[in-house]
Amino acid sequence: MKEVIFQNKYFIHLLFVMSVFIILIALSAEFFFAPKIDKEVYSEYEGKWEVYYNGKKYFADNIEKFHFPNAVKPGDVILLRSLLPENLNNGSSMSMLVSLSGIRVFVNGHQVYSNGMEYVRRHKIAPSCHHFIPLPDHSGGKPLMIEIRPSEVNAFTNIGNIRLLRSDLAYYILASTKRGTLFVGIFLIVLGIISFSVGVVVSVYKRTVNPVLHIGVLSFCVGIWSLCYDNLLQLFSTDLVFITLVEYYTLYSAIIPALFLVRFFLINEKSSKGSRREMNALIILSILFLITAITLSVNNVIHVPSMLPYFHLMVLVMMTAIFFAIRRTRKSIHLDRIIMQFGMVELCVIVVIDLLRFNIQKYLIANDASLGLPITPYGTLIFVIILFSSYIVRSYSDMSAKVAAKTEKEVLLKMAYNDRMTGLFNRAMAEEIMEGLGGDENNYCMISIDLNGLKTVNDSFGHQKGDLLITVFSNLLKESFDSVGNVFRMGGDEFLVLVFEENWSEIDTAIERMRKLSSEKSEKFDMTISASYGIAKNTEAGLDNSEEVYKCADGRMYEMKASEKSRCR
């Protein structure tokens, strides 16, 4: 037991090191290996701003740090006014992140960009995205006005960084500054597709849902969500509203395969009925929540972002349920369960931290850049790796158990059907085979063999010498008939050879080989080794079954034994 616990602790330490290593790689990709972008092609907008909100005018030296005094809501009109830099290069664009709002941009009184306004007018969900706004040439020093109309309550609490950049490098800069998330997101998507495909094949083959399928769905959903959340899916699609909807749909979907995995790894037949009912209820609740969110959103009754607070509450309830499920199985010594517990704790901690980060950023610190990096994709990547580790360990344990059971069964069968002293098949095996014999298509022959002089050897030299005689004779009998038929020890000094019709022609040769080997072994072991035998075939008249064939062969063996005794006299 101590050795198992030591190995489990060692494995957990190894998983912890792997997790930290993955995080370091991701952070390195995000912060250290991203290419340095020259300030000539990418810079923060440092102009002063006038902000018009709900009939009031505000001034902001840094728009990123301006916090709206009240929650924005549909119907609000927000105007941002400033002057573009005098030294603005031709071919420049302006980049700004605006959540769930329509936006129009005017330069020197002329509209140069519009996105999402039509959705706001129709009371539909507007996109959350990075807006890349091409600025007209010779716009330096010209008045800039940005009109923002939110489509949701609490769509945002402040405006994100506004940057100036070269138009032809806009998407390259977006990808470069978020390389870590891009890498993890694409990796999770590819891993999810591969895992789902493998899971479907295995599930169809085994006719039961394989957990690899759920791992694939979870990995894919979180991968897509992470790209949408950081607006990286804009690199692959220009339908910004679609990207926004996918962000929420995949987020709401991800909890479902996670719960299925918890049920598979932590809830089993030995768990209480209450635990199983509790987990099944959570799965049903998460599915109903997803269906309700999609239905209400498609019918434009309630926009899908409006259900995010309820989703957060549901996630906290589920995290609590998972915590208690882990507590109920914490004393398990099964390595796969210990690994899964570690993975679930890791994911729960990451998700709770991200929930706190999101709500603090949204409602308290107004998009503080230091809180802007979501860690759920990294946590999910670690969790998926831990899941695979747990599944591999579980599969290996099941396979080992099956091999051990098969080996034990084979050992028991061997003990039941093999003679312990000689290694030959025993009477039980002979009787079982004889019961299956019958029909003209299975012609066979039985040779009943009796070892001569065993009683005399036992009486004169002891049972140890008698056992040696039996062993030596069994070995030479096997050597003589091994390629001809099956050899059985029926008990004591009685043996049986079963030969099927295709080898009948070799019987005489085998018997002659038995006699020759008996003579050789007699000289080697300094004792007389000889045997009497009788042969009977099922094709003989009057022999209708295997029992009659055996009795006939046994009778002929005794006739030979009696004949040899009379000759000796």
Side-chain angles (χ1 to χ4, degrees):
M1 180 69 70
K2 289 183 179 180
E3 183 179 354
V4 171
I5 294 173
F6 172 78
Q7 290 175 348
N8 291 347
K9 287 182 177 179
Y10 176 79
F11 201 90
I12 289 174
H13 293 159
L14 180 62
L15 283 174
F16 178 75
V17 172
M18 288 172 56
S19 302
V20 173
F21 183 67
I22 291 169
I23 292 175
L24 289 176
I25 290 176
L27 292 177
S28 297
E30 180 76 18
F31 297 110
F32 299 110
F33 296 120
K36 294 182 179 180
I37 302 172
D38 196 301
K39 288 186 177 181
E40 293 183 1
V41 299
Y42 172 81
S43 62
E44 302 291 336
Y45 183 84
E46 297 177 349
K48 297 180 183 294
W49 292 88
E50 295 177 356
V51 180
Y52 297 85
Y53 173 62
N54 285 343
K56 293 184 179 181
K57 182 179 179 180
Y58 303 89
F59 296 94
D61 291 333
N62 188 334
I63 193 64
E64 180 187 4
K65 294 182 179 179
F66 178 80
H67 191 82
F68 289 92
N70 301 310
V72 299
K73 60 186 182 299
D76 287 349
V77 179
I78 299 163
L79 297 178
L80 310 176
R81 294 179 182 272
S82 184
L83 291 176
L84 290 169
E86 292 284 353
N87 60 346
L88 182 68
N89 296 322
N90 291 338
S92 295
S93 289
M94 184 172 66
S95 166
M96 63 183 299
L97 173 62
V98 182
S99 299
L100 303 170
S101 302
I103 177 175
R104 288 196 299 174
V105 179
F106 298 84
V107 175
N108 200 27
H110 300 286
Q111 180 175 309
V112 297
Y113 181 83
S114 178
N115 191 294
M117 284 296 187
E118 181 63 26
Y119 292 101
V120 175
R121 281 194 291 270
R122 293 162 57 190
H123 304 289
K124 292 191 173 184
I125 182 173
S128 291
C129 62
H130 271 290
H131 294 276
F132 294 106
I133 303 145
L135 300 174
D137 290 345
H138 311 294
S139 297
K142 301 286 179 66
L144 169 69
M145 186 182 79
I146 303 172
E147 177 187 348
I148 302 174
R149 294 177 181 265
S151 67
E152 313 296 324
V153 176
N154 271 325
F156 53 85
T157 52
N158 77 322
I159 306 299
N161 280 350
I162 296 179
R163 299 180 174 93
L164 297 173
L165 44 85
R166 271 176 47 182
S167 298
D168 58 334
L169 295 177
Y171 288 102
Y172 170 75
I173 292 171
L174 175 63
S176 298
T177 54
K178 298 185 177 183
R179 176 174 288 189
T181 305
L182 182 62
F183 166 77
V184 173
I186 292 176
F187 181 85
L188 286 172
I189 292 169
V190 173
L191 180 64
I193 293 172
I194 294 172
S195 301
F196 181 80
S197 302
V198 172
V200 169
V201 172
V202 174
S203 299
V204 171
Y205 177 74
K206 291 190 174 183
R207 296 183 179 179
T208 183
V209 178
N210 190 275
V212 175
L213 189 147
H214 298 309
I215 293 174
V217 175
L218 174 63
S219 180
F220 181 82
C221 286
V222 176
I224 292 290
W225 172 80
S226 63
L227 294 185
C228 291
Y229 182 84
D230 261 356
N231 304 291
L232 289 167
L233 211 60
Q234 288 181 235
L235 300 172
F236 309 99
S237 173
T238 57
D239 191 339
L240 302 181
V241 172
F242 172 76
I243 293 173
T244 302
L245 291 172
V246 168
E247 175 187 343
Y248 288 95
Y249 291 158
T250 52
L251 177 63
Y252 296 166
S253 300
I255 195 70
I256 299 173
L259 289 173
F260 273 110
L261 289 167
V262 172
R263 188 180 69 173
F264 178 83
F265 284 98
L266 297 183
I267 309 296
N268 56 24
E269 298 78 10
K270 296 181 181 179
S271 303
S272 65
K273 290 183 179 179
S275 297
R276 294 198 294 272
R277 283 198 298 265
E278 179 183 279
M279 195 54 58
N280 290 335
L282 290 175
I283 292 172
I284 294 172
L285 175 64
S286 61
I287 293 173
L288 290 176
F289 181 87
L290 176 63
I291 293 173
T292 302
I294 294 175
T295 302
L296 294 176
S297 177
V298 168
N299 291 283
N300 206 33
V301 176
I302 297 178
H303 294 171
V304 68
S306 302
M307 302 190 72
L308 189 60
Y310 304 104
F311 176 75
H312 287 172
L313 179 62
M314 186 175 71
V315 168
L316 290 176
V317 171
M318 291 178 179
M319 294 296 111
T320 305
I322 291 171
F323 171 75
F324 282 110
I326 293 171
R327 284 199 62 185
R328 284 191 288 266
T329 60
R330 70 186 186 277
K331 295 182 180 179
S332 174
I333 62 170
H334 297 289
L335 185 56
D336 66 300
R337 283 178 169 248
I338 293 173
I339 297 171
M340 180 60 183
Q341 289 171 6
F342 175 82
M344 289 307 307
V345 169
E346 177 268 337
L347 185 62
C348 288
V349 170
I350 291 292
V351 169
V352 170
I353 291 175
D354 236 5
L355 285 177
L356 292 173
R357 177 202 62 79
F358 175 83
N359 287 283
I360 290 173
Q361 177 194 26
K362 187 173 180 67
Y363 300 111
L364 298 179
I365 309 183
N367 287 341
D368 190 329
S370 63
L371 297 174
L373 178 68
I375 57 176
T376 296
Y378 302 108
T380 304
L381 176 59
I382 297 169
F383 179 61
V384 167
I385 292 173
I386 292 173
L387 277 180
F388 274 114
S389 302
S390 179
Y391 180 67
I392 290 169
V393 170
R394 184 187 182 107
S395 300
Y396 177 77
S397 300
D398 291 344
M399 183 177 66
S400 299
K402 289 178 181 179
V403 170
K406 184 179 179 181
T407 303
E408 183 180 2
K409 184 177 180 181
E410 290 174 350
V411 169
L412 292 173
L413 282 173
K414 189 172 182 180
M415 290 174 64
Y417 291 118
N418 284 70
D419 181 67
R420 192 170 184 179
M421 178 187 296
T422 63
L424 299 175
F425 291 129
N426 59 15
R427 176 182 285 273
M429 174 63 87
E431 290 176 348
E432 185 168 317
I433 292 176
M434 288 165 65
E435 286 179 6
L437 294 175
D440 296 336
E441 69 279 1
N442 288 323
N443 291 328
Y444 56 90
C445 164
M446 291 188 186
I447 307 173
S448 179
I449 302 173
D450 189 88
L451 176 60
N452 295 329
L454 177 61
K455 186 176 184 304
T456 302
V457 171
N458 282 333
D459 293 342
S460 302
F461 304 102
H463 286 279
Q464 188 174 358
K465 191 75 170 180
D467 290 346
L468 177 62
L469 176 61
I470 292 172
T471 303
V472 171
F473 182 72
S474 298
N475 289 336
L476 70 87
L477 202 61
K478 187 190 298 183
E479 186 177 347
S480 301
F481 287 95
D482 198 34
S483 60
V484 178
N486 296 312
V487 182
F488 306 85
R489 184 188 179 198
M490 305 299 284
D493 55 2
E494 298 178 8
F495 297 86
L496 175 68
V497 180
L498 176 65
V499 183
F500 288 98
E501 186 175 17
E502 59 266 22
N503 292 326
W504 283 359
S505 60
E506 301 178 32
I507 292 176
D508 291 340
T509 303
I511 290 175
E512 184 59 34
R513 188 160 52 241
M514 178 186 72
R515 287 173 175 165
K516 182 180 179 182
L517 288 172
S518 297
S519 178
E520 292 175 359
K521 300 297 182 182
S522 296
E523 294 181 7
K524 180 177 180 180
F525 290 96
D526 193 25
M527 56 182 175
T528 303
I529 302 175
S530 65
S532 302
Y533 60 88
I535 303 174
K537 300 177 180 178
N538 71 318
T539 54
E540 297 180 39
L543 303 182
D544 297 327
N545 54 56
S546 58
E547 184 178 353
E548 291 178 355
V549 175
Y550 177 60
K551 286 182 179 179
C552 178
D554 207 41
R556 290 172 181 173
M557 178 272 293
Y558 280 111
E559 289 176 3
M560 179 179 180
K561 184 181 284 287
S563 175
E564 289 179 349
K565 284 183 179 180
S566 63
R567 278 204 305 270
C568 292
R569 291 175 186 155

